[in-house]
Amino acid sequence: MAFDINTLLSAQLHDLKNQMQSLFGAQSELEEALELNPEQQTLLNNLQNHSNALSLRLVELLSVLKLQNQSFQPNIDEGWLMDTLSPIAHEFHELHGMVISLDFDEDFNQFYDEQLLTIAAHNACLNAYQAGANTIAFTVIEHEKGRWQLDITDNGPGFDNDLLNDKNTFSPSGVQNGLGLYLIDQALKAHKRNNLTGKVEIRNNLNCGAQISLIFP
């Protein structure tokens, strides 16, 4: 029987995910213990932030593996965008000191897969941070027939010119343009509704910084 690397990766990632759940349980016990010693609360906060970031990475890798094996079925439900993005904004502020603004109505809701949108938004923030940005703004544009887009704009140096074409459309082939952009692209392409497919557009701002537009069907 041939060795199946995908089976190995899937099993290992699921085991790591189980270990993360155990870690979260231990954190809950520690949180109760710290009620008697509140001056150490910042230690728990740091532990929780790093655990959440690691957990998100594991979920992300599992999702990508399923997408590649065509075994992932996106759950396209109506969701509250503020609830999805607030934890990401909190994480990047607490861990990296970034200023993340969510510039849309807190009651805005739309159809999307929460897990995939989380992957896309998290990687967009990570790319911006690694490029040197310290501020990111999330804004929303609504289109006809229920289509909508989420613009993610930073104050970094912008995209390299070789990533941009005349229409600012991102069409990756593999991961040579970076794993982050590849994951964002895969997350959007998995969104299919009303015979349309999600897509990613990228551009540089006139003053400075980059913008990634996640366009949902």
Side-chain angles (χ1 to χ4, degrees):
M1 181 177 178
F3 181 74
D4 187 352
I5 187 64
N6 285 336
T7 300
L8 174 63
L9 287 173
S10 180
Q12 292 296 320
L13 288 171
H14 277 291
D15 183 61
L16 286 170
K17 189 177 180 181
N18 290 336
Q19 292 297 323
M20 284 300 306
Q21 293 301 318
S22 298
L23 177 58
F24 285 140
Q27 286 180 183
S28 296
E29 295 178 2
L30 178 60
E31 188 171 15
E32 294 177 2
L34 284 176
E35 290 180 0
L36 301 177
N37 196 16
E39 65 272 14
Q40 301 299 323
Q41 183 65 37
T42 56
L43 296 176
L44 176 61
N45 292 341
N46 289 334
L47 178 62
Q48 288 175 327
N49 288 330
H50 288 290
S51 296
N52 289 335
L54 178 57
S55 179
L56 180 59
R57 276 301 182 190
L58 290 173
V59 171
E60 183 176 278
L61 289 171
L62 282 168
S63 299
V64 171
L65 188 62
K66 290 177 181 178
L67 284 169
Q68 292 299 305
N69 292 328
Q70 298 182 341
S71 59
F72 184 89
Q73 295 297 323
N75 184 22
I76 310 296
D77 284 334
E78 192 172 24
W80 302 95
L81 189 59
M82 187 66 71
D83 291 343
T84 301
L85 297 182
S86 290
I88 299 174
H90 176 77
E91 174 193 334
F92 277 86
H93 177 70
E94 292 296 319
L95 291 182
H96 306 301
M98 300 187 75
V99 177
I100 313 290
S101 58
L102 306 177
D103 298 333
F104 53 85
D105 193 318
E106 65 179 16
D107 293 327
F108 177 81
N109 61 325
Q110 210 20 291
F111 288 93
Y112 60 87
D113 181 283
E114 183 173 17
Q115 182 173 315
L116 291 178
L117 176 52
T118 297
I119 288 172
H122 188 274
N123 275 280
C125 290
L126 185 60
N127 279 3
Y129 168 71
Q130 291 176 339
N134 55 31
T135 66
I136 298 175
F138 286 85
T139 56
V140 166
I141 299 176
E142 296 187 73
H143 300 291
E144 60 181 7
K145 297 181 180 180
R147 295 175 60 248
W148 67 285
Q149 78 182 57
L150 178 65
D151 289 340
I152 306 170
T153 307
D154 66 54
N155 68 338
F159 292 109
D160 293 337
N161 289 331
D162 59 354
L163 279 178
L164 302 174
N165 59 28
D166 293 339
K167 296 182 180 179
N168 297 315
T169 302
F170 175 59
S171 299
S173 177
V175 297
Q176 71 268 27
N177 292 325
L179 179 60
L181 283 175
Y182 174 76
L183 292 176
I184 295 169
D185 184 67
Q186 291 296 300
L188 266 292
K189 285 181 177 177
H191 282 81
K192 302 178 185 298
R193 198 167 70 94
N194 298 331
N195 296 319
L196 297 173
T197 301
K199 63 179 181 178
V200 178
E201 293 184 354
I202 63 175
R203 62 181 53 82
N204 287 329
N205 299 317
L206 293 178
N207 296 325
C208 70
Q211 178 176 300
I212 299 179
S213 296
L214 313 181
I215 303 174
F216 293 82

